[in-house]
């Protein structure tokens, strides 16, 4: 229990000061006019002067007035109950995961721990899902891109919902081509909703840029100006032909432009190691806020003062109504 404005308790002696320093309240009342009043007072040997009477108060009135005043001053002082400390952790970093879902992600050239061949997108989704589940204090957004780039999920701390959006992704949803520059540009725009200092973009692609409206290097330069660090991950075949060849050079330049790193994953185990290394290089960061909730108790002294007033008024009314 505490008081929000304890200095208002200085008002407690105010009635005593008023009673001592202020003149008594005066009022005029009707009186009887007496003929020959001066002659009567002279005959009685009295000196006429203004009359005055002090109304008497019942002890119960004094006690009630004292309690009501105490309760009113206590209410003004703001009594409140302080609860136990509550600690809240909030994200100190925002992460965007930009995932290539072009047609080439349907290739089955990834190998799992048992040696079975997996679809590229399925293997990538499994590793990203584990990565997301470990980011319990980061805000994460998910962007998918092919011929166009789209926000699959905006920034959220609801990792279960984010995992659900990840599961819904299918190859070719955003078109068959690869628009790296557009994906970076959309990621930078997504970060405009972020008010934290540390911003990380993880860009995963298995092909060369084939149709971006903005060149990837220009987009990376804008990202660097907005304090966005890009980690690029190349998957697939760097020796392939056409759109199916992952352009590791451009991915490396994108990462270098923003102070990030470039990786290449040839199988699911390598991809898992890459995400583990990213987690080591950029450990989870949180901001901790501790506070103690307050419950306003002003109503308690006010209710008590009202009860005292009602009870006192009732008792005095009953006493006045009794026959003498």
């Amino acid at each position: 229990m505490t008081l929000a404005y304890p200095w208002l308790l200085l008002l407690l002696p105010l009635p005593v000061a008023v009673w001592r320093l202020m003149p008594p309240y005066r009022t005029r009342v009707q009186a009887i006019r007496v003929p020959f009043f001066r002659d009567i007072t002279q005959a009685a040997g009295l000196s006429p002067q203004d009359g005055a009477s002090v109304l008497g108060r019942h002890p119960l009135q004094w006690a009630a007035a004292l309690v009501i005043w105490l309760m009113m001053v206590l209410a003004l002082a703001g009594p409140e109950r302080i609860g136990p400390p509550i600690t809240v952790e909030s994200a100190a970093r925002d992460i965007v995961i930009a995932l290539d879902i072009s047609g080439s992600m349907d290739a089955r050239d990834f190998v799992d721990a048992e040696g079975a061949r997996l679809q590229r997108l399925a293997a990538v989704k499994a590793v990203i899902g584990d990565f997301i589940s470990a980011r319990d204090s980061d805000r994460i957004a998910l962007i998918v891109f092919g011929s166009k780039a789209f926000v699959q999920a905006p920034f959220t701390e609801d990792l279960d919902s984010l995992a659900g959006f990840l599961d819904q992704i299918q190859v070719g949803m955003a078109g068959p081509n690869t628009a790296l520059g557009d994906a970076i540009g959309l990621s930078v725009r997504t970060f405009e909703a972020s008010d934290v200092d540390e911003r990380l973009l993880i860009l995963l692609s298995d092909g060369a840029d084939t149709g971006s409206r903005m060149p990837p290097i220009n987009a990376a330069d804008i990202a660097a100006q907005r304090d966005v660090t890009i980690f690029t991950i190349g998957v697939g075949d760097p020796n392939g032909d056409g759109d199916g060849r992952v352009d590791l050079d451009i991915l490396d330049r994108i990462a270098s432009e923003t102070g990030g790193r470039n990786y290449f994953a040839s199988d699911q185990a390598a991809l898992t190691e890459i995400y583990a290394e990213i987690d080591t290089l950029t450990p989870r960061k949180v901001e901790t806020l501790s506070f103690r909730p307050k419950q306003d108790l002003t109503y308690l002294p006010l209710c008590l003062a009202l009860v005292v007033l009602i009870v006192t008024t009732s008792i005095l009314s009953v006493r006045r109504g009794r026959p003498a």
Side-chain angles (χ1 to χ4, degrees), residues 91-248:
R93 176 182 54 202
D94 287 342
I95 299 176
V96 170
I97 298 176
L99 177 58
D100 185 352
I101 57 171
S102 60
S104 55
M105 289 292 286
D106 194 35
R108 294 182 175 273
D109 55 1
F110 260 58
V111 179
D112 63 9
E114 287 75 24
R117 289 189 170 274
L118 300 175
Q119 182 198 49
R120 288 181 186 174
L121 182 60
V124 168
K125 285 167 60 175
V127 176
I128 292 179
D130 293 338
F131 178 80
I132 289 175
S133 64
R135 322 303 295 185
D136 57 349
S137 292
D138 286 327
R139 291 201 317 162
I140 301 178
L142 180 61
I143 289 177
V144 295
F145 65 96
S147 301
K148 301 289 185 180
F150 302 94
V151 176
Q152 179 76 358
F155 280 119
T156 180
E157 294 182 28
D158 187 352
L159 302 183
D160 292 334
S161 296
L162 190 64
F165 283 115
L166 180 65
D167 290 338
Q168 296 173 6
I169 296 174
Q170 300 294 329
V171 173
M173 287 176 55
N177 300 320
T178 303
L180 283 176
D182 292 350
I184 297 173
L186 181 58
S187 300
V188 172
R189 180 177 297 178
T190 302
F191 277 119
E192 291 179 355
S194 172
D195 55 0
V196 299
D197 294 331
E198 186 164 344
R199 304 170 179 181
L200 175 63
L201 167 60
I202 299 177
L203 176 67
L204 187 145
S205 176
D206 73 336
D209 184 77
T210 55
S212 293
R213 289 174 294 178
M214 176 182 293
I217 299 303
N218 291 354
D221 181 63
I222 295 175
Q225 296 175 20
R226 304 292 176 85
D227 297 323
V228 177
T229 303
I230 302 178
F231 283 74
T232 56
I233 302 174
V235 298
D237 186 4
N239 300 316
D241 298 327
D243 297 346
R245 182 183 67 85
V246 58
D247 192 343
L248 296 180

